[in-house]
Amino acid sequence: MKGLVWFRRDLRLSDNPALSAACQECREIVPLFVFDEPLLRSHAFGSACVGFMLGCLEELRRSLALHGVSLAWRMGDPVESVLQAADDFKVDAVYWNRDYEPAALERDREVQQRLAQQGRTVRTFKDHVVFEAEEVRGLSGDPFQRYSAYRDRWWTKWRAAAPPLLGIPSFPPAGKASTPDSRKWPSVTDLGYESVPMWIEPGEQAAHARLQWFLRGPVHQYVTGRNLPAIDGTSKLSPHLRFGTVSARTLVHAALNALAKGGAVSRADVFTWVDELVWREFFQQVLAAFPHVAHGPFKAKPGLPEPRPAGPERDRLFAAWSQGLTGYPIVDAGMRQLNQTGWMHNRVRMVVASFLVKDLRVDWQSGERYFMERLVDGDLAANNGNWQWCASTGTDAMQGYRIFNPRIQSEKFDAEGEYLRRYVPELKHVPTKWIHEPHLMPPLEQVQAGCRIGSDYPEPIVDHRQARQEYLDLGKAPVKA
Ligand SMILES: Cc1cc2nc3c(=O)[nH]c(=O)nc-3n(C[C@H](O)[C@H](O)[C@H](O)COP(=O)(O)OP(=O)(O)OC[C@H]3O[C@@H](n4cnc5c(N)ncnc54)[C@H](O)[C@@H]3O)c2cc1C
Protein backbone atom coordinates (compact mmCIF):
# COMPACT_ATOMS: atom_id res chain seq x y z
CA MET A 1 0.00 0.00 0.00
CA LYS A 2 1.16 3.54 -0.74
CA GLY A 3 0.20 6.19 1.81
CA LEU A 4 0.10 9.97 1.83
CA VAL A 5 0.82 11.55 5.23
CA TRP A 6 -0.76 15.00 5.40
CA PHE A 7 1.22 17.08 7.95
CA ARG A 8 -0.73 19.95 9.53
CA ARG A 9 -0.35 20.81 13.23
CA ASP A 10 2.13 17.99 13.82
CA LEU A 11 5.44 19.08 12.27
CA ARG A 12 7.60 16.37 13.82
CA LEU A 13 8.74 12.77 13.46
CA SER A 14 8.61 11.52 17.03
CA ASP A 15 5.39 10.47 18.74
CA ASN A 16 3.40 11.23 15.61
CA PRO A 17 0.50 8.73 15.38
CA ALA A 18 -0.44 9.36 11.72
CA LEU A 19 3.16 9.11 10.54
CA SER A 20 3.84 6.01 12.66
CA ALA A 21 0.73 4.22 11.38
CA ALA A 22 1.56 5.05 7.75
CA CYS A 23 5.14 3.80 8.18
CA GLN A 24 3.84 0.58 9.70
CA GLU A 25 1.06 -0.08 7.20
CA CYS A 26 2.54 1.17 3.91
CA ARG A 27 5.19 -0.06 1.57
CA GLU A 28 5.83 3.50 0.50
CA ILE A 29 4.95 6.84 2.07
CA VAL A 30 4.67 10.37 0.69
CA PRO A 31 4.70 13.16 3.30
CA LEU A 32 2.78 16.26 2.22
CA PHE A 33 2.31 19.82 3.48
CA VAL A 34 -0.29 22.15 1.99
CA PHE A 35 0.04 25.93 2.22
CA ASP A 36 -3.59 26.97 2.69
CA GLU A 37 -3.62 29.87 0.26
CA PRO A 38 -7.03 31.37 1.19
CA LEU A 39 -6.09 31.25 4.88
CA LEU A 40 -2.68 32.81 4.27
CA ARG A 41 -4.26 35.51 2.12
CA SER A 42 -6.72 36.37 4.90
CA HIS A 43 -3.80 37.40 7.15
CA ALA A 44 -5.58 35.92 10.15
CA PHE A 45 -2.07 35.04 11.38
CA GLY A 46 0.93 37.32 11.56
CA SER A 47 4.48 37.22 10.28
CA ALA A 48 5.84 35.76 13.54
CA CYS A 49 3.51 32.78 13.31
CA VAL A 50 4.08 32.17 9.59
CA GLY A 51 7.86 32.55 10.01
CA PHE A 52 7.84 30.07 12.88
CA MET A 53 5.83 27.59 10.81
CA LEU A 54 8.30 27.87 7.91
CA GLY A 55 11.20 27.29 10.30
CA CYS A 56 9.49 24.14 11.59
CA LEU A 57 8.81 22.95 8.04
CA GLU A 58 12.43 23.55 7.06
CA GLU A 59 13.57 21.29 9.88
CA LEU A 60 10.91 18.67 9.15
CA ARG A 61 12.07 18.59 5.54
CA ARG A 62 15.68 18.03 6.66
CA SER A 63 14.68 15.32 9.15
CA LEU A 64 12.60 13.47 6.58
CA ALA A 65 15.44 13.72 4.07
CA LEU A 66 17.73 11.98 6.59
CA HIS A 67 15.28 9.08 6.38
CA GLY A 68 15.43 9.24 2.59
CA VAL A 69 11.96 10.75 2.19
CA SER A 70 11.14 14.01 0.50
CA LEU A 71 8.45 16.33 1.87
CA ALA A 72 6.08 17.24 -0.96
CA TRP A 73 4.23 20.55 -0.86
CA ARG A 74 1.27 22.16 -2.55
CA MET A 75 -0.10 25.69 -2.46
CA GLY A 76 -3.81 26.37 -2.85
CA ASP A 77 -7.16 25.31 -1.51
CA PRO A 78 -6.39 22.50 0.95
CA VAL A 79 -9.24 20.22 -0.12
CA GLU A 80 -8.39 20.36 -3.81
CA SER A 81 -4.65 20.20 -3.10
CA VAL A 82 -4.88 17.00 -1.06
CA LEU A 83 -7.16 15.34 -3.61
CA GLN A 84 -4.83 16.34 -6.44
CA ALA A 85 -1.77 15.12 -4.53
CA ALA A 86 -3.48 11.79 -3.83
CA ASP A 87 -3.98 11.45 -7.58
CA ASP A 88 -0.52 12.68 -8.54
CA PHE A 89 1.20 10.23 -6.21
CA LYS A 90 -1.34 7.46 -6.87
CA VAL A 91 -1.72 6.65 -3.19
CA ASP A 92 -4.09 4.08 -1.74
CA ALA A 93 -4.52 5.71 1.65
CA VAL A 94 -4.28 9.15 3.27
CA TYR A 95 -3.24 9.63 6.91
CA TRP A 96 -3.58 12.66 9.14
CA ASN A 97 -3.82 13.73 12.77
CA ARG A 98 -7.11 15.33 13.75
CA ASP A 99 -7.68 19.09 14.16
CA TYR A 100 -10.67 20.33 16.17
CA GLU A 101 -11.20 23.86 14.87
CA PRO A 102 -14.64 24.22 13.25
CA ALA A 103 -13.24 25.21 9.82
CA ALA A 104 -10.69 22.37 9.94
CA LEU A 105 -13.40 19.84 10.85
CA GLU A 106 -15.48 20.94 7.86
CA ARG A 107 -12.43 20.81 5.57
CA ASP A 108 -11.46 17.34 6.80
CA ARG A 109 -15.01 15.99 6.42
CA GLU A 110 -15.02 17.07 2.78
CA VAL A 111 -11.58 15.64 2.02
CA GLN A 112 -12.49 12.38 3.75
CA GLN A 113 -15.77 12.07 1.85
CA ARG A 114 -14.22 12.75 -1.54
CA LEU A 115 -11.25 10.45 -0.94
CA ALA A 116 -13.66 7.70 0.09
CA GLN A 117 -15.64 8.26 -3.13
CA GLN A 118 -12.40 7.66 -5.04
CA GLY A 119 -11.96 4.38 -3.18
CA ARG A 120 -9.07 5.61 -1.04
CA THR A 121 -8.70 4.70 2.61
CA VAL A 122 -8.58 7.53 5.13
CA ARG A 123 -7.01 7.02 8.56
CA THR A 124 -7.17 9.79 11.15
CA PHE A 125 -5.62 9.92 14.63
CA LYS A 126 -5.79 11.72 17.93
CA ASP A 127 -2.66 13.77 18.40
CA HIS A 128 -3.12 17.44 19.16
CA VAL A 129 -4.39 16.76 22.68
CA VAL A 130 -3.82 14.07 25.29
CA PHE A 131 -7.57 13.44 25.55
CA GLU A 132 -10.17 14.39 22.98
CA ALA A 133 -13.35 16.20 24.01
CA GLU A 134 -15.50 13.04 24.22
CA GLU A 135 -12.93 11.28 26.39
CA VAL A 136 -13.27 13.70 29.32
CA ARG A 137 -16.92 14.14 30.08
CA GLY A 138 -19.06 14.60 33.20
CA LEU A 139 -21.16 11.77 34.63
CA SER A 140 -24.13 12.91 32.54
CA GLY A 141 -21.96 12.63 29.43
CA ASP A 142 -22.10 16.39 28.90
CA PRO A 143 -18.96 18.41 28.17
CA PHE A 144 -17.51 20.31 31.12
CA GLN A 145 -18.08 24.05 31.30
CA ARG A 146 -15.85 24.66 34.34
CA TYR A 147 -12.12 24.15 34.29
CA SER A 148 -11.74 22.72 37.82
CA ALA A 149 -14.22 19.89 37.22
CA TYR A 150 -12.66 19.18 33.82
CA ARG A 151 -9.17 19.12 35.34
CA ASP A 152 -10.16 16.61 38.04
CA ARG A 153 -11.70 14.27 35.47
CA TRP A 154 -8.71 14.75 33.16
CA TRP A 155 -6.33 13.54 35.92
CA THR A 156 -8.59 10.58 36.70
CA LYS A 157 -8.45 9.65 33.05
CA TRP A 158 -4.66 10.08 32.94
CA ARG A 159 -4.19 7.84 35.98
CA ALA A 160 -6.41 5.19 34.40
CA ALA A 161 -5.17 5.34 30.83
CA ALA A 162 -2.13 7.53 30.21
CA PRO A 163 -1.43 7.25 26.48
CA PRO A 164 1.98 5.77 25.68
CA LEU A 165 4.58 7.57 23.59
CA LEU A 166 5.60 6.54 20.10
CA GLY A 167 9.20 7.01 19.05
CA ILE A 168 10.46 7.95 15.60
CA PRO A 169 9.05 5.32 13.22
CA SER A 170 11.07 3.06 10.93
CA PHE A 171 10.47 4.33 7.44
CA PRO A 172 9.50 1.77 4.79
CA PRO A 173 12.42 1.19 2.39
CA ALA A 174 10.28 1.94 -0.68
CA GLY A 175 9.58 5.44 0.69
CA LYS A 176 13.17 6.22 -0.14
CA ALA A 177 12.32 6.09 -3.83
CA SER A 178 10.14 9.20 -3.68
CA THR A 179 11.49 11.90 -5.98
CA PRO A 180 12.71 15.08 -4.31
CA ASP A 181 10.66 18.16 -5.14
CA SER A 182 13.00 20.49 -7.05
CA ARG A 183 10.86 23.63 -6.63
CA LYS A 184 12.16 26.30 -4.27
CA TRP A 185 10.33 26.33 -0.94
CA PRO A 186 8.30 29.48 -0.37
CA SER A 187 9.87 32.08 1.89
CA VAL A 188 7.97 34.28 4.35
CA THR A 189 7.92 37.08 1.78
CA ASP A 190 6.73 34.70 -0.98
CA LEU A 191 3.76 33.99 1.28
CA GLY A 192 3.02 37.72 1.59
CA TYR A 193 4.44 38.24 5.10
CA GLU A 194 7.34 40.17 6.56
CA SER A 195 10.54 38.52 7.63
CA VAL A 196 10.80 39.17 11.39
CA PRO A 197 13.46 38.05 13.90
CA MET A 198 12.67 34.68 15.51
CA TRP A 199 12.74 34.95 19.31
CA ILE A 200 11.76 31.34 19.85
CA GLU A 201 13.70 28.77 17.86
CA PRO A 202 11.44 26.68 15.60
CA GLY A 203 11.57 22.92 14.97
CA GLU A 204 11.38 19.59 16.75
CA GLN A 205 14.94 19.65 18.07
CA ALA A 206 14.49 23.13 19.54
CA ALA A 207 11.24 22.03 21.20
CA HIS A 208 12.98 19.12 22.94
CA ALA A 209 15.93 21.29 23.93
CA ARG A 210 13.58 23.90 25.38
CA LEU A 211 11.68 21.21 27.29
CA GLN A 212 14.89 19.82 28.77
CA TRP A 213 16.08 23.33 29.70
CA PHE A 214 12.73 24.06 31.36
CA LEU A 215 12.71 20.81 33.34
CA ARG A 216 16.28 21.36 34.53
CA GLY A 217 15.64 24.91 35.71
CA PRO A 218 12.51 27.09 35.68
CA VAL A 219 10.06 24.31 36.55
CA HIS A 220 11.61 24.27 40.03
CA GLN A 221 10.09 27.69 40.77
CA TYR A 222 7.15 27.52 38.41
CA VAL A 223 4.45 28.34 40.99
CA THR A 224 5.98 31.77 41.61
CA GLY A 225 8.15 32.20 38.50
CA ARG A 226 5.27 31.79 36.05
CA ASN A 227 3.80 35.11 37.22
CA LEU A 228 6.93 37.24 36.81
CA PRO A 229 7.14 38.70 33.32
CA ALA A 230 10.72 39.96 33.75
CA ILE A 231 12.20 36.45 34.00
CA ASP A 232 12.31 33.49 31.63
CA GLY A 233 10.16 31.50 34.05
CA THR A 234 7.83 29.62 31.71
CA SER A 235 8.50 27.03 29.05
CA LYS A 236 7.73 29.16 25.94
CA LEU A 237 6.57 25.91 24.37
CA SER A 238 3.25 27.36 23.20
CA PRO A 239 4.31 27.92 19.56
CA HIS A 240 5.76 24.38 19.54
CA LEU A 241 2.44 23.00 20.76
CA ARG A 242 0.65 25.14 18.18
CA PHE A 243 2.61 23.59 15.32
CA GLY A 244 3.09 20.21 16.93
CA THR A 245 6.89 20.08 16.98
CA VAL A 246 6.41 18.28 20.29
CA SER A 247 3.32 16.43 21.47
CA ALA A 248 1.37 17.38 24.60
CA ARG A 249 1.74 13.70 25.62
CA THR A 250 5.52 14.04 25.55
CA LEU A 251 5.37 17.11 27.80
CA VAL A 252 3.17 15.48 30.43
CA HIS A 253 5.24 12.29 30.51
CA ALA A 254 8.51 14.27 30.69
CA ALA A 255 7.28 16.46 33.56
CA LEU A 256 5.96 13.51 35.58
CA ASN A 257 9.15 11.52 34.91
CA ALA A 258 11.24 14.43 36.20
CA LEU A 259 9.17 14.36 39.37
CA ALA A 260 9.44 10.57 39.69
CA LYS A 261 13.24 10.78 39.47
CA GLY A 262 13.21 12.79 42.69
CA GLY A 263 15.77 15.49 43.27
CA ALA A 264 14.79 19.07 43.85
CA VAL A 265 11.69 19.15 41.63
CA SER A 266 8.63 19.91 43.70
CA ARG A 267 5.28 18.26 43.23
CA ALA A 268 3.43 21.59 43.38
CA ASP A 269 5.57 23.14 40.63
CA VAL A 270 5.26 20.16 38.27
CA PHE A 271 1.54 19.71 38.81
CA THR A 272 0.87 23.42 38.38
CA TRP A 273 2.68 23.30 35.04
CA VAL A 274 0.83 20.20 33.84
CA ASP A 275 -2.41 21.89 34.91
CA GLU A 276 -1.58 24.62 32.40
CA LEU A 277 -1.45 21.97 29.70
CA VAL A 278 -4.83 20.82 30.97
CA TRP A 279 -6.11 24.41 30.53
CA ARG A 280 -5.05 24.12 26.92
CA GLU A 281 -7.03 20.90 26.54
CA PHE A 282 -9.98 22.42 28.38
CA PHE A 283 -10.22 25.23 25.82
CA GLN A 284 -9.78 22.72 22.99
CA GLN A 285 -12.76 20.78 24.28
CA VAL A 286 -14.80 23.98 24.77
CA LEU A 287 -14.21 24.83 21.10
CA ALA A 288 -14.99 21.27 19.98
CA ALA A 289 -18.17 20.96 22.07
CA PHE A 290 -19.40 24.56 21.70
CA PRO A 291 -18.19 25.69 18.27
CA HIS A 292 -20.38 28.82 18.49
CA VAL A 293 -17.66 30.36 20.70
CA ALA A 294 -15.62 31.04 17.56
CA HIS A 295 -18.22 33.65 16.56
CA GLY A 296 -19.75 34.88 19.79
CA PRO A 297 -19.91 34.61 23.57
CA PHE A 298 -19.76 31.22 25.23
CA LYS A 299 -22.48 32.45 27.58
CA ALA A 300 -24.19 35.83 27.55
CA LYS A 301 -23.98 36.91 31.20
CA PRO A 302 -27.11 38.87 32.12
CA GLY A 303 -26.47 42.60 32.40
CA LEU A 304 -22.94 42.47 30.98
CA PRO A 305 -22.10 46.02 29.80
CA GLU A 306 -22.26 46.57 26.07
CA PRO A 307 -18.98 47.49 24.40
CA ARG A 308 -18.48 51.08 23.31
CA PRO A 309 -20.11 51.80 19.93
CA ALA A 310 -18.00 52.02 16.77
CA GLY A 311 -16.66 55.50 16.09
CA PRO A 312 -13.64 57.80 16.50
CA GLU A 313 -13.50 57.46 20.31
CA ARG A 314 -13.46 53.67 20.18
CA ASP A 315 -10.82 53.82 17.42
CA ARG A 316 -8.66 56.25 19.41
CA LEU A 317 -8.73 54.01 22.49
CA PHE A 318 -8.08 50.85 20.50
CA ALA A 319 -5.14 52.48 18.68
CA ALA A 320 -3.58 53.60 21.98
CA TRP A 321 -4.00 50.09 23.42
CA SER A 322 -2.59 48.30 20.40
CA GLN A 323 0.43 50.63 20.11
CA GLY A 324 1.22 50.44 23.82
CA LEU A 325 0.48 54.12 24.47
CA THR A 326 -2.16 53.99 27.21
CA GLY A 327 -0.10 55.59 29.99
CA TYR A 328 -0.39 52.34 32.00
CA PRO A 329 3.16 50.91 31.97
CA ILE A 330 2.19 47.25 32.39
CA VAL A 331 -0.33 47.45 29.53
CA ASP A 332 2.10 49.33 27.31
CA ALA A 333 4.99 46.95 28.06
CA GLY A 334 2.81 43.95 27.22
CA MET A 335 1.52 45.36 23.96
CA ARG A 336 5.00 46.40 22.89
CA GLN A 337 6.36 42.96 23.78
CA LEU A 338 3.67 41.49 21.54
CA ASN A 339 4.32 43.94 18.69
CA GLN A 340 8.09 43.48 18.85
CA THR A 341 8.41 39.76 19.52
CA GLY A 342 5.10 38.05 18.66
CA TRP A 343 4.83 36.74 22.22
CA MET A 344 3.52 38.10 25.52
CA HIS A 345 3.76 36.80 29.04
CA ASN A 346 0.54 35.10 30.24
CA ARG A 347 0.04 37.32 33.31
CA VAL A 348 0.37 40.41 31.11
CA ARG A 349 -1.97 38.92 28.46
CA MET A 350 -4.64 38.79 31.16
CA VAL A 351 -3.96 42.38 32.26
CA VAL A 352 -4.05 43.87 28.75
CA ALA A 353 -7.17 41.90 27.83
CA SER A 354 -9.02 43.01 30.96
CA PHE A 355 -7.91 46.61 30.34
CA LEU A 356 -9.19 46.65 26.76
CA VAL A 357 -12.56 45.13 27.60
CA LYS A 358 -13.31 46.52 31.05
CA ASP A 359 -11.43 49.85 31.25
CA LEU A 360 -11.71 50.92 27.61
CA ARG A 361 -14.94 49.02 26.91
CA VAL A 362 -13.79 47.87 23.48
CA ASP A 363 -15.31 44.59 22.26
CA TRP A 364 -13.21 41.53 23.11
CA GLN A 365 -13.36 40.26 19.54
CA SER A 366 -11.16 43.18 18.40
CA GLY A 367 -8.56 42.21 20.98
CA GLU A 368 -8.81 38.54 20.07
CA ARG A 369 -8.24 39.37 16.39
CA TYR A 370 -5.30 41.68 17.18
CA PHE A 371 -3.63 38.93 19.23
CA MET A 372 -4.23 36.34 16.52
CA GLU A 373 -2.65 38.59 13.89
CA ARG A 374 0.51 38.96 15.95
CA LEU A 375 1.07 36.01 18.28
CA VAL A 376 3.62 33.39 17.31
CA ASP A 377 1.48 30.88 19.25
CA GLY A 378 -1.88 32.21 17.92
CA ASP A 379 -4.35 29.38 18.42
CA LEU A 380 -8.12 29.74 18.06
CA ALA A 381 -9.09 27.58 21.05
CA ALA A 382 -6.61 29.09 23.54
CA ASN A 383 -6.93 32.65 22.32
CA ASN A 384 -10.70 32.66 22.15
CA GLY A 385 -11.09 30.79 25.44
CA ASN A 386 -8.79 33.20 27.27
CA TRP A 387 -10.27 36.35 25.73
CA GLN A 388 -13.74 35.20 26.69
CA TRP A 389 -12.52 34.34 30.19
CA CYS A 390 -11.10 37.87 30.56
CA ALA A 391 -14.23 39.44 29.04
CA SER A 392 -16.52 37.54 31.48
CA THR A 393 -18.35 35.98 28.52
CA GLY A 394 -16.59 32.65 28.86
CA THR A 395 -15.92 29.87 31.32
CA ASP A 396 -14.73 31.95 34.28
CA ALA A 397 -16.54 30.48 37.31
CA MET A 398 -16.44 33.79 39.20
CA GLN A 399 -19.75 35.56 39.85
CA GLY A 400 -19.80 39.13 38.58
CA TYR A 401 -16.96 40.63 36.61
CA ARG A 402 -13.24 40.20 37.16
CA ILE A 403 -11.47 43.52 36.59
CA PHE A 404 -7.69 43.62 36.89
CA ASN A 405 -6.13 46.70 38.47
CA PRO A 406 -3.08 47.41 36.26
CA ARG A 407 -1.15 49.20 39.01
CA ILE A 408 -1.60 46.42 41.54
CA GLN A 409 -0.68 43.76 38.97
CA SER A 410 2.42 45.71 38.05
CA GLU A 411 3.53 46.30 41.65
CA LYS A 412 2.93 42.68 42.57
CA PHE A 413 4.53 40.95 39.62
CA ASP A 414 7.19 43.43 38.41
CA ALA A 415 7.98 45.26 41.63
CA GLU A 416 11.27 46.77 40.42
CA GLY A 417 9.88 47.62 37.00
CA GLU A 418 12.47 45.51 35.14
CA TYR A 419 9.94 44.26 32.58
CA LEU A 420 8.39 47.72 32.23
CA ARG A 421 11.74 49.39 31.50
CA ARG A 422 12.71 46.64 29.02
CA TYR A 423 9.74 47.26 26.74
CA VAL A 424 8.98 50.94 27.48
CA PRO A 425 12.38 52.62 27.11
CA GLU A 426 10.89 56.06 27.89
CA LEU A 427 10.61 54.80 31.48
CA LYS A 428 14.20 53.56 31.69
CA HIS A 429 15.37 56.23 34.15
CA VAL A 430 12.13 56.64 36.07
CA PRO A 431 12.76 55.88 39.77
CA THR A 432 11.17 52.65 40.99
CA LYS A 433 9.01 54.71 43.34
CA TRP A 434 7.11 56.09 40.30
CA ILE A 435 7.54 53.29 37.78
CA HIS A 436 4.03 51.87 38.18
CA GLU A 437 2.33 55.26 38.06
CA PRO A 438 4.73 57.61 36.27
CA HIS A 439 2.05 60.29 35.80
CA LEU A 440 2.23 60.95 39.56
CA MET A 441 5.94 61.81 39.34
CA PRO A 442 6.66 65.45 40.33
CA PRO A 443 7.66 67.69 37.37
CA LEU A 444 11.27 68.08 38.49
CA GLU A 445 11.75 64.33 38.74
CA GLN A 446 10.17 63.94 35.30
CA VAL A 447 12.86 66.21 33.86
CA GLN A 448 15.61 64.36 35.77
CA ALA A 449 14.31 61.00 34.50
CA GLY A 450 14.06 62.29 30.91
CA CYS A 451 10.41 61.33 30.90
CA ARG A 452 7.97 64.23 30.72
CA ILE A 453 4.44 62.97 31.08
CA GLY A 454 2.30 64.10 28.19
CA SER A 455 5.23 64.46 25.79
CA ASP A 456 7.74 61.59 26.33
CA TYR A 457 5.17 59.20 27.79
CA PRO A 458 1.36 59.56 27.73
CA GLU A 459 -0.95 60.54 30.53
CA PRO A 460 -3.22 57.60 31.50
CA ILE A 461 -5.79 57.30 28.74
CA VAL A 462 -8.55 56.64 31.31
CA ASP A 463 -8.70 56.76 35.08
CA HIS A 464 -8.81 53.12 36.17
CA ARG A 465 -10.91 53.70 39.29
CA GLN A 466 -13.45 55.70 37.38
CA ALA A 467 -13.50 53.32 34.40
CA ARG A 468 -13.98 50.38 36.76
CA GLN A 469 -16.88 52.06 38.53
CA GLU A 470 -18.50 52.98 35.22
CA TYR A 471 -18.19 49.39 34.06
CA LEU A 472 -19.75 48.08 37.27
CA ASP A 473 -22.56 50.66 37.10
CA LEU A 474 -23.29 49.79 33.48
CA GLY A 475 -23.29 46.15 34.49
CA LYS A 476 -26.02 46.79 37.00
CA ALA A 477 -28.23 48.45 34.42
CA PRO A 478 -31.21 46.32 33.45
CA VAL A 479 -30.80 44.45 30.20
CA LYS A 480 -32.78 46.08 27.40
CA ALA A 481 -35.49 43.83 25.96
C1 LIG B 1 -5.92 36.98 26.35
C2 LIG B 1 -5.07 35.71 26.21
C3 LIG B 1 -4.84 35.18 24.94
C4 LIG B 1 -4.10 33.99 24.82
N1 LIG B 1 -3.87 33.48 23.55
C5 LIG B 1 -3.19 32.31 23.42
C6 LIG B 1 -2.95 31.75 22.13
O1 LIG B 1 -3.36 32.27 21.10
N2 LIG B 1 -2.24 30.58 22.09
C7 LIG B 1 -1.76 29.96 23.19
O2 LIG B 1 -1.13 28.90 23.08
N3 LIG B 1 -2.00 30.46 24.41
C8 LIG B 1 -2.68 31.62 24.56
N4 LIG B 1 -2.89 32.13 25.82
C9 LIG B 1 -2.50 31.32 27.00
C10 LIG B 1 -1.10 31.60 27.56
O3 LIG B 1 -0.89 32.97 27.70
C11 LIG B 1 0.01 31.01 26.71
O4 LIG B 1 -0.28 29.68 26.39
C12 LIG B 1 1.32 31.04 27.49
O5 LIG B 1 1.65 32.35 27.82
C13 LIG B 1 2.40 30.42 26.68
O6 LIG B 1 3.62 30.51 27.34
P1 LIG B 1 4.43 29.22 27.80
O7 LIG B 1 4.47 28.24 26.68
O8 LIG B 1 5.71 29.70 28.34
O9 LIG B 1 3.48 28.68 28.95
P2 LIG B 1 3.77 27.72 30.19
O10 LIG B 1 3.50 28.51 31.40
O11 LIG B 1 5.08 27.04 30.09
O12 LIG B 1 2.60 26.65 30.06
C14 LIG B 1 2.75 25.44 29.29
C15 LIG B 1 1.69 25.37 28.23
O13 LIG B 1 0.40 25.33 28.82
C16 LIG B 1 -0.54 25.95 27.95
N5 LIG B 1 -1.15 27.08 28.64
C17 LIG B 1 -0.62 27.84 29.62
N6 LIG B 1 -1.52 28.76 30.05
C18 LIG B 1 -2.62 28.57 29.30
C19 LIG B 1 -3.88 29.21 29.24
N7 LIG B 1 -4.21 30.22 30.04
N8 LIG B 1 -4.77 28.78 28.33
C20 LIG B 1 -4.49 27.76 27.50
N9 LIG B 1 -3.31 27.12 27.51
C21 LIG B 1 -2.39 27.52 28.39
C22 LIG B 1 0.24 26.45 26.74
O14 LIG B 1 0.12 25.50 25.72
C23 LIG B 1 1.66 26.54 27.29
O15 LIG B 1 2.64 26.42 26.28
C24 LIG B 1 -3.61 33.33 25.97
C25 LIG B 1 -3.85 33.89 27.23
C26 LIG B 1 -4.56 35.07 27.35
C27 LIG B 1 -4.82 35.64 28.72
Side-chain angles (χ1 to χ4, degrees), residues 222 234-238 241 273 276-277 279-280 283 343-344 346 349-350 353 371 375 377-379 382-383 386-387 390:
Y222 186 72
T234 64
S235 71
K236 292 213 174 86
L237 282 165
S238 50
L241 284 162
W273 188 63
E276 295 297 341
L277 297 168
W279 264 112
R280 173 179 172 273
F283 286 134
W343 195 80
M344 194 197 300
N346 180 59
R349 291 188 203 201
M350 291 194 284
F371 265 38
L375 279 173
D377 61 15
D379 172 76
N383 196 39
N386 278 288
W387 269 98
C390 294

Side-chain angles (χ1 to χ4, degrees), residues 91-105:
V91 298
D92 308 291
V94 180
Y95 295 74
W96 68 73
N97 290 315
R98 290 191 279 274
D99 184 335
Y100 312 101
E101 292 191 0
L105 286 168

Side-chain angles (χ1 to χ4, degrees), residues 72-143:
W73 64 275
R74 296 287 184 270
M75 172 87 70
D77 171 76
V79 175
E80 300 306 329
S81 302
V82 172
L83 290 162
Q84 187 61 51
D87 259 0
D88 294 347
F89 293 108
K90 299 184 176 47
V91 298
D92 308 291
V94 180
Y95 295 74
W96 68 73
N97 290 315
R98 290 191 279 274
D99 184 335
Y100 312 101
E101 292 191 0
L105 286 168
E106 204 176 304
R107 172 198 68 198
D108 291 353
R109 257 193 302 273
E110 188 182 346
V111 181
Q112 184 154 9
Q113 210 173 36
R114 289 175 60 185
L115 285 168
Q117 280 163 3
Q118 297 173 347
R120 293 190 162 99
T121 304
V122 173
R123 301 257 286 124
T124 75
F125 300 83
K126 171 176 76 171
D127 176 60
H128 191 54
V129 288
V130 177
F131 298 120
E132 286 180 325
E134 313 75 56
E135 291 182 276
V136 184
R137 287 271 160 105
L139 291 177
S140 60
D142 291 338

Side-chain angles (χ1 to χ4, degrees), residues 393-414:
T393 60
T395 55
D396 188 355
M398 186 179 148
Q399 295 291 318
Y401 318 125
R402 194 186 296 267
I403 303 178
F404 282 85
N405 180 319
R407 177 185 51 80
I408 294 178
Q409 292 289 314
S410 184
E411 283 173 356
K412 199 163 162 193
F413 298 114
D414 190 36

